[in-house]
Amino acid sequence: MKQLLIKCMVSLGFILSLYTLNIATVMAHGEKALEPFIRMRTIQWYDVQWDKQKFNVNEEVSVSGKFHVAEDWPVSVPKPEAAFLNISTPGPVLIRTERYLNGKPFMNSVALQPGGDYNFKIVLKGRLPGRYHIHPFFNLKDAGQVMGPGVWLEVTGNASDFSNEVKTINGEVIDMESYGLGNGIFWHLFWGLLAAAWLLWWLRRPLFISRYRMLQAGGLEDELITPNDRLIAKAMLVGVPLLVLAINAMTISEYPKAIPLQASLDQILPLSAQVNAGVVDVETLKAEYRIPERSMEFTVKVNNRSENPVQIGEFSTANVHFLNQDLQAAYQGDSTTMTAIEGLSLENAAPIQPGEQRTMTITARDGFWESEKLNGLIRDADSRIGGLLFLYDSETAARYISSITAAVIPKFN
């Protein structure tokens, strides 16, 4: 019986070892973690591009693009009065050297306006060789991270060649990778040892049960804390603040031109309207999600105020692009990302003429609704969809963008 059990355990271990050989590396950064209505109706990214996807250590790479802050901002999500633009990476594989919003450099969080249009640019520098899945994202206060479209970046070269030197106010060139490292280690060890000594002072004697019995006995409370305990506590109470103040004074004396960490909130006004600019208006009358078909069906009313016919070419939501294959236009949807090449179909594909108002049905159909967990929208308390609808002027190649939104009605047949 014992030998049979051992054989079974060995066989099970062998099977598990074979199974682990097929486990793929985790590639996601939590972009599906937020509820669909937050990903669809907060930051609506588009035209996001990287200037290159393969570069060396110490070489710079930039990502730029645009985003629209949805007018139909979810009621349960705090307004974007403090948002931080950053890059999601698997560790310190890149460093951020520059960051711009609407052409203006900024360091802090920024207040965004619902309905506003912005463009951004982030400049990064290769630090560790490897192949990484990278996203730009906005960290919304009290809401979480809203990811932009992700790409694979490959950093080549040797990690030992990386340098991160900057020039200080007084003209001194320092290496940010090692500057102040020894000082930081010393003070971490100092405060850690001081805290450990304070803790061990109390742990050197019996605790909990013995002290509880002394309290229950009555009249022995004063023996729980000895005169030495009081003396050391007073020394800590006075000595630690004095030490902090003294070291702070020494630091200010040694570095009189230091700039403190900034805690302000940048105020950058949105651009003139890029989305919902009023030339071509789109009103969403109804939205239905057909569960068996994994398709979202919109009934929209389009009012073409431009001078040329326009056609619907793309619907984008939560970084998923549904394209109208029948329309030959310069799509912004990158075919290497989450793009449904034949995902968009129209009830009436004829161009919408100048001055025409047309009510029509648009269907966005693809498995992305399920794989990106966007179909969970029908189970949310806030079951509303949002996204960007792109319309194209076939004569002048002009593009018009509308941010559409509607309550979603699930259809089970």
Side-chain angles (χ1 to χ4, degrees), residues 312-314 322-328 331 341 343-346:
I312 296 173
E314 177 183 348
F322 300 90
L323 305 185
N324 178 6
Q325 191 184 32
D326 297 332
L327 179 61
Q328 301 297 322
Y331 290 114
I341 302 296
L344 196 67
S345 59
L346 311 178

Side-chain angles (χ1 to χ4, degrees), residues 67-117:
F67 62 90
H68 178 72
V69 184
E71 292 89 347
D72 185 27
W73 191 271
V75 175
S76 58
V77 179
K79 297 295 183 183
E81 297 173 352
F84 190 81
L85 176 63
N86 207 348
I87 295 291
S88 176
T89 64
V93 300
L94 304 166
I95 63 170
R96 188 181 69 240
T97 59
E98 301 174 54
R99 188 174 58 162
Y100 303 90
L101 190 65
N102 291 352
K104 300 178 181 179
F106 75 111
M107 298 181 296
N108 308 304
S109 295
V110 63
L112 302 176
Q113 296 183 14
D117 294 298

Side-chain angles (χ1 to χ4, degrees), residues 225-351:
I225 301 178
T226 66
N228 284 337
D229 294 337
R230 292 188 175 91
L231 180 62
I232 292 176
K234 291 176 182 178
M236 294 281 285
L237 183 63
V238 176
V240 170
L242 287 178
L243 178 62
V244 172
L245 292 174
I247 298 301
N248 182 64
M250 292 172 59
T251 303
I252 293 174
S253 176
E254 185 175 355
Y255 305 101
K257 297 180 180 180
I259 298 175
L261 293 174
Q262 301 299 295
S264 61
L265 184 67
D266 289 328
Q267 302 289 334
I268 299 178
L269 295 177
L271 301 171
S272 57
Q274 310 290 310
V275 177
N276 297 337
V279 180
V280 178
D281 291 334
V282 180
E283 180 185 358
T284 311
L285 304 179
K286 184 174 64 174
E288 296 179 349
Y289 181 69
R290 298 187 177 276
I291 297 173
E293 301 174 9
R294 294 182 295 185
S295 66
M296 189 72 69
E297 189 176 280
F298 301 95
T299 302
V300 298
K301 182 179 180 181
V302 182
N303 184 4
N304 182 13
R305 294 194 179 98
S306 70
E307 297 178 354
N308 297 307
V310 296
Q311 292 176 279
I312 296 173
E314 177 183 348
F315 174 67
S316 172
T317 183
N319 301 323
V320 179
H321 304 271
F322 300 90
L323 305 185
N324 178 6
Q325 191 184 32
D326 297 332
L327 179 61
Q328 301 297 322
Y331 290 114
Q332 299 298 330
D334 187 349
S335 60
T336 63
T337 61
M338 296 182 293
T339 303
I341 302 296
E342 303 178 2
L344 196 67
S345 59
L346 311 178
E347 176 192 37
N348 182 357

Side-chain angles (χ1 to χ4, degrees), residues 24-40:
T25 303
V26 175
M27 297 182 295
H29 290 150
E31 53 264 41
K32 303 177 188 178
L34 284 179
E35 292 85 349
F37 70 88
I38 298 181
R39 289 185 280 153
M40 294 178 177

Side-chain angles (χ1 to χ4, degrees), residues 95-284:
I95 63 170
R96 188 181 69 240
T97 59
E98 301 174 54
R99 188 174 58 162
Y100 303 90
L101 190 65
N102 291 352
K104 300 178 181 179
F106 75 111
M107 298 181 296
N108 308 304
S109 295
V110 63
L112 302 176
Q113 296 183 14
D117 294 298
Y118 301 82
N119 60 43
F120 72 94
K121 181 181 179 180
I122 304 175
V123 181
L124 307 161
K125 187 177 178 181
R127 186 174 186 269
L128 294 178
R131 188 168 182 266
Y132 311 107
H133 194 55
I134 308 296
H135 294 258
F137 74 92
F138 257 107
N139 198 349
L140 303 177
K141 183 181 178 182
D142 298 329
Q145 299 176 354
V146 179
M147 295 287 185
V151 298
W152 284 96
L153 299 184
E154 184 176 352
V155 184
T156 58
N158 298 317
S160 58
D161 295 335
F162 177 72
S163 93
N164 185 15
E165 294 183 343
V166 298
K167 183 180 289 187
T168 63
I169 296 176
N170 57 13
E172 179 186 1
V173 177
I174 62 174
D175 184 2
M176 293 294 290
E177 295 295 297
S178 57
Y179 183 76
L181 180 61
N183 193 41
I185 293 175
F186 168 78
W187 284 109
H188 276 79
L189 289 175
F190 174 81
W191 292 115
L193 291 173
L194 183 62
W198 175 250
L199 182 63
L200 290 173
W201 174 260
W202 294 99
L203 291 178
R204 64 188 175 85
R205 68 194 78 180
L207 295 176
F208 305 122
I209 296 178
S210 300
R211 289 173 172 266
Y212 175 75
R213 287 174 178 173
M214 293 177 69
L215 288 174
Q216 293 298 311
L220 300 177
E221 293 86 353
D222 294 339
E223 297 182 16
L224 293 176
I225 301 178
T226 66
N228 284 337
D229 294 337
R230 292 188 175 91
L231 180 62
I232 292 176
K234 291 176 182 178
M236 294 281 285
L237 183 63
V238 176
V240 170
L242 287 178
L243 178 62
V244 172
L245 292 174
I247 298 301
N248 182 64
M250 292 172 59
T251 303
I252 293 174
S253 176
E254 185 175 355
Y255 305 101
K257 297 180 180 180
I259 298 175
L261 293 174
Q262 301 299 295
S264 61
L265 184 67
D266 289 328
Q267 302 289 334
I268 299 178
L269 295 177
L271 301 171
S272 57
Q274 310 290 310
V275 177
N276 297 337
V279 180
V280 178
D281 291 334
V282 180
E283 180 185 358
T284 311

